[in-house]
């Protein structure tokens, strides 16, 4: 219950978004075609939680409908995505690294029942052509999640963009402070002993999280761990003061571990050099790789690093300067 990836029995403070996603998928319950969906918004806004909650409910309502969740940041390669897709509909023990990917795709094309797939962090997908191939499968419905809609659309060819124009769009804003407090209260009630943490301390955690539910829940979990290590029955202010920076370091490391080689190199360049303008970053980057990405792709990568609090920027356009965050709280 104190794991940020745990899906609760209900998703609060997202009623409008919940209704839109349910409306997009509900036709499958009556045997009709559900609607592809594009979900965008900042990190920690509840996008993944709501998508997983909704597809789990869909499986309960509609016999024969299968669902699958794939984190494209952890599994960005074409083979791994295809393997995860097949794993969601049956055993995959016969698939090996040398299994032709066209054969894996053919198995998906033979789907006879509706299959609803969440592709989280879809902008990290290494082979964007795979989206076009997946959309050609009649029984497959896609829920695409990213921080910004343009991160999904920009790399795609016109055929895929045309398909996306008919998709349901759902935008998530950051949680308000009061909404975060309510989320933390529910998690504490589900995962801690009664009275283990009081309202002012929940308020402190929500304030530190600044609208990010994932951060807030991770702070709460770390504070509970600090109290357990002290053999304390309640979480104190000292536990919270210790927990927040420790949790931020954990969150930062998780984000670093997810980076592609190119993204990690950009971060390392900034760590080594401090504040740099985009042209200087790109010059140093191209000098250290054999097959550099385009300037546009590098700008997208820098935006991704900023969204996950690994770097920060000041200024606009060519004069913008990027600075590394050596801890998540900087």
């Amino acid at each position: 219950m104190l794991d940020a990836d745990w899906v609760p029995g209900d998703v609060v403070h997202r009623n409008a978004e919940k209704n839109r996603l349910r409306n997009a998928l509900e036709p499958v319950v009556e045997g009709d075609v559900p609607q592809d969906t594009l979900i965008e918004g900042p990190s920690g806004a509840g996008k993944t939680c709501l998508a997983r909650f909704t597809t789990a409910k869909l499986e309960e309502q509609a016999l024969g409908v299968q669902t699958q969740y794939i984190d494209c940041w952890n599994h960005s390669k074409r083979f791994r995505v295809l393997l995860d897709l097949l794993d969601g509909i049956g055993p995959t023990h016969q698939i090996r690294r040398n299994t032709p990917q066209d054969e894996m795709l053919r198995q998906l094309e033979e789907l006879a029942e509706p299959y609803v797939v969440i592709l989280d962090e879809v902008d990290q997908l290494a082979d964007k052509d795979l989206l076009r191939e997946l959309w050609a499968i009649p029984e497959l419905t896609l829920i695409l999640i990213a921080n910004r809609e343009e991160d999904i659309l920009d790399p795609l060819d016109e055929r895929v963009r045309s398909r996306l124009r008919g998709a349901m769009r759902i935008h998530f804003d950051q949680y308000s402070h009061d909404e975060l407090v309510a989320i933390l209260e529910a998690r504490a009630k589900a995962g801690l002993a009664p009275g283990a943490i009081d309202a002012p301390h929940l308020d402190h955690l929500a304030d530190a999280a600044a609208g990010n539910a994932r951060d807030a829940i991770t702070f709460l979990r770390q504070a509970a761990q600090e109290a357990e290590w002290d053999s304390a029955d309640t979480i104190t202010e000292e536990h919270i003061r210790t927990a927040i920076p420790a949790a931020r370091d954990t969150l930062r490391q998780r984000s670093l571990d997810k980076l592609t080689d190119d993204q990690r190199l950009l971060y390392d360049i900034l760590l080594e050099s401090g504040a740099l303008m985009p042209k200087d970053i790109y010059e140093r980057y191209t000098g250290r790789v054999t097959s550099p990405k385009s300037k546009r792709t590098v700008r997208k990568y820098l935006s991704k690093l900023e969204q996950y609090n690994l770097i920060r920027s000041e200024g606009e356009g060519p004069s913008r300067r990027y600075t590394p965050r050596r801890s998540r709280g900087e």
Side-chain angles (χ1 to χ4, degrees):
M1 285 85 169
L2 298 185
D3 188 331
D5 292 326
W6 176 70
V7 180
D10 193 11
V11 179
V12 297
H13 308 299
R14 287 291 183 246
N15 287 336
E17 296 86 350
K18 190 191 306 182
N19 289 339
R20 286 180 67 82
L21 184 54
R22 185 176 62 241
N23 290 341
L25 301 180
E26 210 163 44
V28 77
V29 177
E30 304 298 329
D32 293 328
V33 179
Q35 193 172 3
D36 298 312
T37 306
L38 191 159
I39 299 175
E40 56 111 20
S43 177
K47 305 183 300 296
T48 301
C49 183
L50 179 63
R52 299 189 75 169
F53 167 83
T54 305
T55 53
K57 292 296 183 185
L58 188 68
E59 278 196 339
E60 294 174 5
Q61 290 179 292
L63 294 176
V65 175
Q66 293 175 291
T67 69
Q68 177 68 310
Y69 170 80
I70 300 173
D71 183 346
C72 296
W73 203 342
N74 284 329
H75 297 165
S76 62
K77 304 298 185 184
R78 178 188 175 89
F79 174 85
R80 184 68 221 201
V81 173
L82 288 171
L83 181 62
D84 287 348
L85 286 167
L86 291 172
D87 190 55
I89 56 177
T92 55
H93 56 268
Q94 79 283 2
I95 295 177
R96 301 288 184 268
R97 277 286 175 187
N98 60 354
T99 299
Q101 293 180 23
D102 286 349
E103 169 62 21
M104 297 169 73
L105 191 63
R106 185 189 63 76
Q107 292 182 42
L108 289 169
E109 290 169 348
E110 294 175 352
L111 279 168
E113 300 287 348
Y115 191 23
V116 179
V117 175
I118 302 167
L119 295 180
D120 201 357
E121 304 281 1
V122 68
D123 53 306
Q124 293 290 102
L125 197 62
D127 182 4
K128 300 300 191 297
D129 284 341
L130 181 58
L131 286 179
R132 175 178 52 80
E133 293 170 309
L134 295 179
W135 258 316
I137 300 173
E139 296 293 345
L140 192 62
T141 299
L142 297 179
I143 301 172
L144 307 182
I145 303 177
N147 295 119
R148 305 183 308 168
E149 181 175 321
E150 56 264 38
D151 292 338
I152 302 174
L153 295 179
D154 286 353
L156 303 179
D157 65 27
E158 182 54 34
R159 285 172 295 178
V160 181
R161 289 192 195 187
S162 177
R163 175 71 179 261
L164 266 176
R165 290 190 186 104
M168 172 74 77
R169 283 165 164 73
I170 306 176
H171 173 76
F172 282 63
D173 291 317
Q174 279 191 326
Y175 287 107
S176 70
H177 176 83
D178 289 345
E179 288 170 343
L180 273 191
V181 170
I183 290 169
L184 289 176
E185 286 176 343
R187 292 293 180 118
K189 183 177 180 180
L192 299 177
I197 186 168
D198 62 20
H201 290 146
L202 291 175
D203 190 76
H204 185 167
L205 294 174
D207 188 56
N212 188 315
R214 179 173 294 276
D215 286 7
I217 294 165
T218 306
F219 294 165
L220 176 61
R221 182 179 183 179
Q222 184 67 38
Q225 185 68 71
E226 298 288 341
E228 183 179 335
W229 288 335
D230 278 351
S231 299
D233 294 330
T234 59
I235 295 171
T236 66
E237 187 65 27
E238 181 59 32
H239 293 142
I240 288 175
R241 279 198 297 267
T242 304
I244 290 173
R248 280 177 170 153
D249 286 343
T250 298
L251 289 162
R252 174 178 171 273
Q253 190 58 52
R254 286 177 186 169
S255 294
L256 287 172
D257 290 343
K258 288 182 175 182
L259 298 181
T260 65
D261 291 342
D262 289 281
Q263 291 167 343
R264 183 58 194 250
L265 176 56
L266 293 171
Y267 178 74
D268 288 342
I269 287 169
L270 286 169
L271 272 184
E272 296 162 6
S273 307
L276 290 173
M277 291 189 292
K279 64 181 182 64
D280 298 320
I281 297 172
Y282 193 72
E283 180 180 339
R284 298 184 191 206
Y285 162 74
T286 55
R288 292 169 62 170
V289 294
T290 55
S291 301
K293 304 295 185 182
S294 67
K295 290 182 179 179
R296 181 178 184 178
T297 298
V298 167
R299 286 197 301 270
K300 187 185 76 170
Y301 287 167
L302 290 170
S303 174
K304 192 76 173 177
L305 296 178
E306 189 169 13
Q307 289 160 8
Y308 282 85
N309 290 318
L310 294 172
I311 65 175
R312 61 178 180 270
S313 67
E314 296 178 348
E316 298 293 334
S319 63
R320 183 189 297 266
R321 295 175 70 87
Y322 291 94
T323 306
R325 294 181 186 268
R326 289 176 171 79
S327 69
R328 200 173 172 101
E330 286 184 358

